[in-house]
Structures are given as structure tokens and as C-alpha cells.
Amino acid sequence: MKILGIETSCDETAAAVVEDGTKILSNVIASQTEFHEKYGGVVPEIASRKHLELLDSVIDEALNKADTRLEDLSAVAVTIGPGLVGALLIGLASAKALSYVLEIPLIGINHLEAHLNAGFLEHPQVRPPLVSLIVSGGHTILALMDKDMKTEVLGSTLDDAAGEAFDKIARYLELGYPGGPVIDTLAKEGDEKAIAFPRAMMDKKTYDFSLSGLKTAVINYMKNAKKEGREPDVKDVAAAFQAAIVDVQVAKTVKAACEKGVKTILLAGGVAANSSLKKKMAEKASEYIIDVFYPSSELCTDNGAMIAALAFKYYDKGPYLDLNANVNENLFLA
Ligand code: KG4
Ligand code: ZN
């Protein structure tokens, strides 16, 4: 059974064909980065316009690469939230049209749930119960998934999301957009101990996170250095900043797994592509004989395959969307 997945929640125009929920036949992602880069972040209006321009050809390419005709599809799945409302609407309108014309079910997908489930695509051996850290441009969520795959949110960010912090600091340091990959690369050559940035909420009992203080600390550090006539080594700043984020995420995630008595951690979302996060999480977890899994980088960041794959689980029982369905920009993890 082949399902077409459409993803337009932010600045990736993406479509994929997945067979039987696990076999990725195609996964086409048109990044809009070059159109947003000069603004240092995603401009919602530009994102919507670009989705409109790109989506038809991205869907065509996904079908061609999958050697699949429209008539071969059993369902069409689309992200309905959370995300940018205008961007989401472009994907939903396209999916509605396809579902109507082809007379196949239309399945609305929660973007966060799709990120979480992306890990199962490449690691079928992963079995809940598990603790998942979902870290993206819009969210930082620590969740428990029980053996029946029901999720409970244990904590989330009180202010900035992890990816948002990477993007804002990269913008401040004039490193370009998106900030995560460039800071990840620079940090490899820097000394993370060179500057002691704060690790907010590290010792608090809660599973919540806070990143706005760290952002301010980096900006103050740069301003003070300039005032004192020093030219800070941007590689050290990148490494120390990244370590301050990663160390808290690792500590809280491993603590949650220990306290909830689970032996599996699953990383998800764009920031899960971060090399230091993956390495430090695996190191710390191994001390407690906890396994860590994460998707390949292409499945960490926004993509259509995770949408189509999750839709397979809903194919039999629904719920299906009708033509009056709307997006929900504030959807959270149930
Ligand atoms: O999941 P995603 O593609 O979109 C959202 O749902 O938000 O995540 C995008 C975020 C961006 O903020 C980007 O800077 C970050 O993921 N990101 C990274 C890395 N690759 C992407 N952050 C840290 N290290 C990376 N290697
Ligand atoms: Zn995402």
C-alpha cells in the first residue's frame, strides 16, 4: 500500500511515497533556505508563496522517483500542524484536491508525532516504552511513550526552542541560516570549555527547559569582549554555546529514562541531527545501559516520509479528514 506524504509546515517543501509504512520509495525535499537566509530566519509569507510555487513539482518528483502513478496511491497524508498557518494551508489544499480527485482517504498528521515516529522507520527494532527528546526549530519536548505507544509530555521549553536558539545565535554571530548545522560544524574546531555559559534548569527537578538566558549570556559575552577590545574566537563561542544546550538536554533525557524505568531513548527533530547531542547522549546513556536511537539526518529535519509513514498507522481506523478540514497551527503532542 502506497501513501503520499506532504509536508509544508515551515520552510521545507516536501513530499514522499512510503510503502506499507516502512519502505521509503522516494523522499523529495526542496529547501527554501536561500530565500530566507538574508532575513536570518523563516519569513512566513515567503514560505507560503514558495510552497505554492514548489509543491506541485515536488509531488511530481516524489511520484516519479517512486515509480508510482497517482492511481497507485491508497491515501494522501498531510501535516495539519503545528507550524506556520499559511504554509500548512498550502499543503492541506493540495492534499484535499488529490484526495477528492483520486477518491482516496485524506489523513491529517501531527508534525510532532511524525518527528517522534521517524525513529521507528529506520530502527524497526525500537520498542516502547521509551523516552523521546523532540528538538526542532519550534519545539523542545521530553515525552514518555508507553508500551501501547501512548505519549505523555514530561516537559518542554518555557521560552525558546532548541533549534530557535541555534538559529538566533547563528544570526547574531552572522553565520547564516539555518544556524544548527553551521554551529555544529564550527563547534568541532572549538573548545567547549573555553567559556562557561549557563546551563539553565540543569539541577531543577522539573523536566522543563529554558534557553532565553543562554542566548542573552552569549550576546553579553560578545558585547563585553568587544568593549574590552578582544576578538572572541567564534569557534569557541559556538562550541561552548552548543555544549550548554546539549549538556542540559542529555542530563534531563537520561534522568527521565532512569526515573521512568525505560531502557530506550529516541531522539527526534532537526536538532537531533546535531553530532554532539548524538554523541554525548549515547555516552551518558550507556552508563545506565540505556540504548539511544536517532533518525538519519534527512529524517531528522522536516520531510514527507515521516508524514506518509505515520499515516500508515491511521489508514485502517482513521480518523480521516473531509474537505472542510482546517489546519491547527498550535497542535501539540497528545
Ligand atoms: O525539525 P526541523 O527541520 O523543523 C521544525 O520542525 O522546526 O528543525 C529545524 C531546526 C533548525 O532550527 C535548525 O537550525 C536545526 O533544526 N538543526 C540543527 C542541526 N541541523 C538542523 N541544530 C543543531 N545541529 C544540527 N546539526
Ligand atoms: Zn519539524
Side-chain angles (χ1 to χ4, degrees):
M1 178 200 299
K2 295 176 180 179
I3 297 182
L4 173 71
I6 297 174
E7 156 61 43
T8 62
S9 68
C10 193
D11 62 340
E12 322 281 1
T13 312
V17 179
V18 177
E19 191 168 9
D20 297 335
T22 50
K23 197 166 166 211
I24 302 174
L25 301 183
S26 64
N27 192 20
V28 178
I29 303 163
S31 173
Q32 304 178 2
T33 301
E34 59 176 306
F35 306 109
H36 300 281
E37 201 169 11
K38 65 177 167 205
Y39 304 102
V42 179
V43 183
E45 180 59 21
I46 294 178
S48 309
R49 280 169 192 271
K50 289 292 161 194
H51 286 313
L52 199 56
E53 281 171 34
L54 296 167
L55 187 54
D56 282 353
S57 52
V58 166
I59 291 174
D60 276 348
E61 196 182 331
L63 290 167
N64 287 337
K65 282 199 169 145
D67 204 12
T68 298
R69 295 168 306 156
L70 281 172
E71 308 86 76
D72 300 331
L73 295 172
S74 298
V76 54
V78 63
T79 305
I80 51 166
L84 303 168
V85 65
L88 289 163
L89 280 168
I90 306 295
L92 179 60
S94 252
K96 277 181 183 174
L98 286 170
S99 148
Y100 180 70
V101 171
L102 300 170
E103 298 181 17
I104 53 174
L106 173 60
I107 301 172
I109 294 294
N110 178 328
H111 184 82
L112 295 171
E113 197 187 341
H115 268 308
L116 203 170
N117 279 274
F120 295 107
L121 255 172
E122 292 166 311
H123 307 289
Q125 74 275 34
V126 177
R127 295 268 179 276
L130 54 85
V131 162
S132 179
L133 176 70
I134 307 163
V135 270
S136 70
H139 295 88
T140 300
I141 302 172
L142 198 52
L144 177 68
M145 182 187 264
D146 72 13
K147 61 178 184 358
D148 301 319
M149 303 198 80
K150 272 192 65 182
T151 51
E152 176 199 342
V153 173
L154 302 174
S156 59
T157 180
L158 303 177
D159 38 61
D160 291 350
E164 188 181 356
F166 272 101
D167 294 339
K168 283 181 177 168
I169 288 303
R171 180 179 177 178
Y172 182 77
L173 298 174
E174 297 178 1
L175 299 174
Y177 172 85
V182 56
I183 290 182
D184 191 352
T185 306
L186 267 182
K188 288 190 180 119
E189 291 167 38
D191 174 9
E192 66 171 56
K193 296 203 166 65
I195 311 152
F197 287 131
R199 274 127 175 94
M201 321 269 290
M202 183 82 148
D203 301 319
K204 290 242 169 82
K205 287 224 169 330
T206 158
Y207 292 126
D208 288 333
F209 301 84
S210 169
L211 285 173
S212 62
L214 172 61
K215 198 178 58 195
T216 311
V218 176
I219 292 171
N220 286 343
Y221 176 84
M222 295 301 288
K223 281 187 178 156
N224 288 338
K226 261 192 205 124
K227 236 189 263 166
E228 292 160 14
R230 285 186 290 120
E231 192 55 60
D233 185 336
V234 77
K235 297 192 200 89
D236 288 346
V237 177
F241 161 74
Q242 178 175 276
I245 294 189
V246 167
D247 289 353
V248 180
Q249 290 179 349
V250 168
K252 294 214 177 221
T253 309
V254 174
K255 184 166 170 264
C258 290
E259 288 180 357
K260 300 294 173 187
V262 306
K263 287 289 172 198
T264 303
I265 287 173
L266 185 57
L267 306 181
V271 182
N274 186 271
S275 56
S276 172
L277 175 64
K278 291 188 280 196
K279 185 164 173 280
K280 285 187 174 177
M281 191 71 82
E283 279 167 8
K284 187 79 192 159
S286 73
E287 290 173 22
Y288 300 89
I289 326 195
I290 294 169
D291 291 325
V292 177
F293 297 91
Y294 41 81
S296 57
S297 292
E298 194 179 67
L299 290 182
C300 279
T301 47
D302 291 349
N303 66 87
M306 67 180 188
I307 307 302
L310 180 58
F312 181 71
K313 296 189 181 172
Y314 292 113
Y315 181 77
D316 282 337
K317 55 182 193 322
Y320 301 138
L321 299 181
D322 63 25
L323 294 183
N324 295 317
N326 207 344
V327 300
N328 180 354
E329 59 186 308
N330 298 316
L331 212 59
F332 201 58
L333 206 58

PDB file of all heavy atoms in Angstrom, residues 189-203:
ATOM      1  N   GLU A 189      35.699  22.456  15.884  1.00  0.00           N
ATOM      2  CA  GLU A 189      37.068  23.006  15.938  1.00  0.00           C
ATOM      3  C   GLU A 189      37.273  23.908  17.147  1.00  0.00           C
ATOM      4  O   GLU A 189      38.349  24.478  17.325  1.00  0.00           O
ATOM      5  CB  GLU A 189      37.352  23.808  14.662  1.00  0.00           C
ATOM      6  CG  GLU A 189      37.446  22.931  13.439  1.00  0.00           C
ATOM      7  CD  GLU A 189      37.396  23.769  12.168  1.00  0.00           C
ATOM      8  OE1 GLU A 189      37.975  24.865  12.161  1.00  0.00           O
ATOM      9  OE2 GLU A 189      36.749  23.312  11.213  1.00  0.00           O
ATOM     10  N   GLY A 190      36.231  24.083  17.956  1.00  0.00           N
ATOM     11  CA  GLY A 190      36.351  24.978  19.109  1.00  0.00           C
ATOM     12  C   GLY A 190      36.532  24.217  20.408  1.00  0.00           C
ATOM     13  O   GLY A 190      36.436  22.991  20.446  1.00  0.00           O
ATOM     14  N   ASP A 191      36.776  24.982  21.481  1.00  0.00           N
ATOM     15  CA  ASP A 191      36.950  24.387  22.807  1.00  0.00           C
ATOM     16  C   ASP A 191      35.695  24.699  23.626  1.00  0.00           C
ATOM     17  O   ASP A 191      35.450  25.842  23.994  1.00  0.00           O
ATOM     18  CB  ASP A 191      38.204  24.993  23.465  1.00  0.00           C
ATOM     19  CG  ASP A 191      38.361  24.539  24.906  1.00  0.00           C
ATOM     20  OD1 ASP A 191      37.611  23.636  25.339  1.00  0.00           O
ATOM     21  OD2 ASP A 191      39.238  25.099  25.601  1.00  0.00           O
ATOM     22  N   GLU A 192      34.910  23.684  23.924  1.00  0.00           N
ATOM     23  CA  GLU A 192      33.638  23.926  24.616  1.00  0.00           C
ATOM     24  C   GLU A 192      33.835  24.397  26.052  1.00  0.00           C
ATOM     25  O   GLU A 192      32.928  24.931  26.668  1.00  0.00           O
ATOM     26  CB  GLU A 192      32.745  22.689  24.571  1.00  0.00           C
ATOM     27  CG  GLU A 192      33.277  21.497  25.338  1.00  0.00           C
ATOM     28  CD  GLU A 192      32.239  20.383  25.442  1.00  0.00           C
ATOM     29  OE1 GLU A 192      31.755  19.940  24.399  1.00  0.00           O
ATOM     30  OE2 GLU A 192      31.941  19.981  26.575  1.00  0.00           O
ATOM     31  N   LYS A 193      35.060  24.200  26.576  1.00  0.00           N
ATOM     32  CA  LYS A 193      35.322  24.628  27.948  1.00  0.00           C
ATOM     33  C   LYS A 193      35.897  26.044  28.012  1.00  0.00           C
ATOM     34  O   LYS A 193      36.144  26.588  29.086  1.00  0.00           O
ATOM     35  CB  LYS A 193      36.286  23.652  28.617  1.00  0.00           C
ATOM     36  CG  LYS A 193      35.703  22.245  28.764  1.00  0.00           C
ATOM     37  CD  LYS A 193      36.406  21.468  29.880  1.00  0.00           C
ATOM     38  CE  LYS A 193      35.623  20.230  30.257  1.00  0.00           C
ATOM     39  NZ  LYS A 193      35.528  19.224  29.211  1.00  0.00           N
ATOM     40  N   ALA A 194      36.099  26.641  26.847  1.00  0.00           N
ATOM     41  CA  ALA A 194      36.727  27.964  26.808  1.00  0.00           C
ATOM     42  C   ALA A 194      35.865  29.028  27.491  1.00  0.00           C
ATOM     43  O   ALA A 194      36.391  29.983  28.078  1.00  0.00           O
ATOM     44  CB  ALA A 194      36.996  28.360  25.350  1.00  0.00           C
ATOM     45  N   ILE A 195      34.557  28.866  27.425  1.00  0.00           N
ATOM     46  CA  ILE A 195      33.637  29.844  28.041  1.00  0.00           C
ATOM     47  C   ILE A 195      32.575  29.066  28.820  1.00  0.00           C
ATOM     48  O   ILE A 195      32.018  28.084  28.314  1.00  0.00           O
ATOM     49  CB  ILE A 195      32.925  30.709  26.958  1.00  0.00           C
ATOM     50  CG1 ILE A 195      33.934  31.262  25.950  1.00  0.00           C
ATOM     51  CG2 ILE A 195      32.132  31.847  27.590  1.00  0.00           C
ATOM     52  CD1 ILE A 195      33.364  31.520  24.575  1.00  0.00           C
ATOM     53  N   ALA A 196      32.303  29.528  30.046  1.00  0.00           N
ATOM     54  CA  ALA A 196      31.310  28.814  30.875  1.00  0.00           C
ATOM     55  C   ALA A 196      29.945  29.476  30.733  1.00  0.00           C
ATOM     56  O   ALA A 196      29.604  30.375  31.500  1.00  0.00           O
ATOM     57  CB  ALA A 196      31.762  28.811  32.329  1.00  0.00           C
ATOM     58  N   PHE A 197      29.175  29.061  29.734  1.00  0.00           N
ATOM     59  CA  PHE A 197      27.821  29.586  29.585  1.00  0.00           C
ATOM     60  C   PHE A 197      26.872  28.833  30.526  1.00  0.00           C
ATOM     61  O   PHE A 197      27.115  27.675  30.858  1.00  0.00           O
ATOM     62  CB  PHE A 197      27.354  29.441  28.125  1.00  0.00           C
ATOM     63  CG  PHE A 197      28.016  30.402  27.174  1.00  0.00           C
ATOM     64  CD1 PHE A 197      28.567  29.960  25.982  1.00  0.00           C
ATOM     65  CD2 PHE A 197      28.092  31.763  27.485  1.00  0.00           C
ATOM     66  CE1 PHE A 197      29.188  30.842  25.106  1.00  0.00           C
ATOM     67  CE2 PHE A 197      28.709  32.658  26.614  1.00  0.00           C
ATOM     68  CZ  PHE A 197      29.252  32.195  25.427  1.00  0.00           C
ATOM     69  N   PRO A 198      25.772  29.510  30.953  1.00  0.00           N
ATOM     70  CA  PRO A 198      24.881  28.882  31.940  1.00  0.00           C
ATOM     71  C   PRO A 198      24.126  27.671  31.393  1.00  0.00           C
ATOM     72  O   PRO A 198      23.795  27.626  30.215  1.00  0.00           O
ATOM     73  CB  PRO A 198      23.887  30.013  32.269  1.00  0.00           C
ATOM     74  CG  PRO A 198      23.926  30.931  31.100  1.00  0.00           C
ATOM     75  CD  PRO A 198      25.313  30.849  30.543  1.00  0.00           C
ATOM     76  N   ARG A 199      23.916  26.705  32.278  1.00  0.00           N
ATOM     77  CA  ARG A 199      23.116  25.517  31.934  1.00  0.00           C
ATOM     78  C   ARG A 199      21.810  25.628  32.707  1.00  0.00           C
ATOM     79  O   ARG A 199      21.666  25.068  33.800  1.00  0.00           O
ATOM     80  CB  ARG A 199      23.876  24.235  32.306  1.00  0.00           C
ATOM     81  CG  ARG A 199      24.826  23.773  31.211  1.00  0.00           C
ATOM     82  CD  ARG A 199      26.227  23.565  31.739  1.00  0.00           C
ATOM     83  NE  ARG A 199      27.125  23.012  30.708  1.00  0.00           N
ATOM     84  CZ  ARG A 199      27.912  23.751  29.925  1.00  0.00           C
ATOM     85  NH1 ARG A 199      27.873  25.086  29.997  1.00  0.00           N
ATOM     86  NH2 ARG A 199      28.717  23.182  29.062  1.00  0.00           N
ATOM     87  N   ALA A 200      20.854  26.364  32.105  1.00  0.00           N
ATOM     88  CA  ALA A 200      19.622  26.699  32.824  1.00  0.00           C
ATOM     89  C   ALA A 200      18.809  25.461  33.156  1.00  0.00           C
ATOM     90  O   ALA A 200      18.728  24.535  32.358  1.00  0.00           O
ATOM     91  CB  ALA A 200      18.779  27.643  31.967  1.00  0.00           C
ATOM     92  N   MET A 201      18.235  25.457  34.350  1.00  0.00           N
ATOM     93  CA  MET A 201      17.307  24.410  34.831  1.00  0.00           C
ATOM     94  C   MET A 201      18.002  23.052  34.996  1.00  0.00           C
ATOM     95  O   MET A 201      17.337  22.035  35.173  1.00  0.00           O
ATOM     96  CB  MET A 201      16.107  24.219  33.890  1.00  0.00           C
ATOM     97  CG  MET A 201      15.530  25.451  33.274  1.00  0.00           C
ATOM     98  SD  MET A 201      14.218  26.185  34.214  1.00  0.00           S
ATOM     99  CE  MET A 201      12.887  25.028  34.045  1.00  0.00           C
ATOM    100  N   MET A 202      19.316  23.029  34.911  1.00  0.00           N
ATOM    101  CA  MET A 202      20.056  21.762  34.954  1.00  0.00           C
ATOM    102  C   MET A 202      19.723  20.975  36.223  1.00  0.00           C
ATOM    103  O   MET A 202      19.472  19.785  36.167  1.00  0.00           O
ATOM    104  CB  MET A 202      21.547  22.071  34.881  1.00  0.00           C
ATOM    105  CG  MET A 202      22.419  20.861  34.855  1.00  0.00           C
ATOM    106  SD  MET A 202      22.508  20.199  33.185  1.00  0.00           S
ATOM    107  CE  MET A 202      24.142  19.523  33.175  1.00  0.00           C
ATOM    108  N   ASP A 203      19.726  21.654  37.357  1.00  0.00           N
ATOM    109  CA  ASP A 203      19.549  20.936  38.618  1.00  0.00           C
ATOM    110  C   ASP A 203      18.120  20.983  39.150  1.00  0.00           C
ATOM    111  O   ASP A 203      17.834  20.438  40.214  1.00  0.00           O
ATOM    112  CB  ASP A 203      20.525  21.497  39.678  1.00  0.00           C
ATOM    113  CG  ASP A 203      21.952  21.345  39.191  1.00  0.00           C
ATOM    114  OD1 ASP A 203      22.261  20.286  38.624  1.00  0.00           O
ATOM    115  OD2 ASP A 203      22.743  22.299  39.346  1.00  0.00           O
TER     116      ASP A 203
END
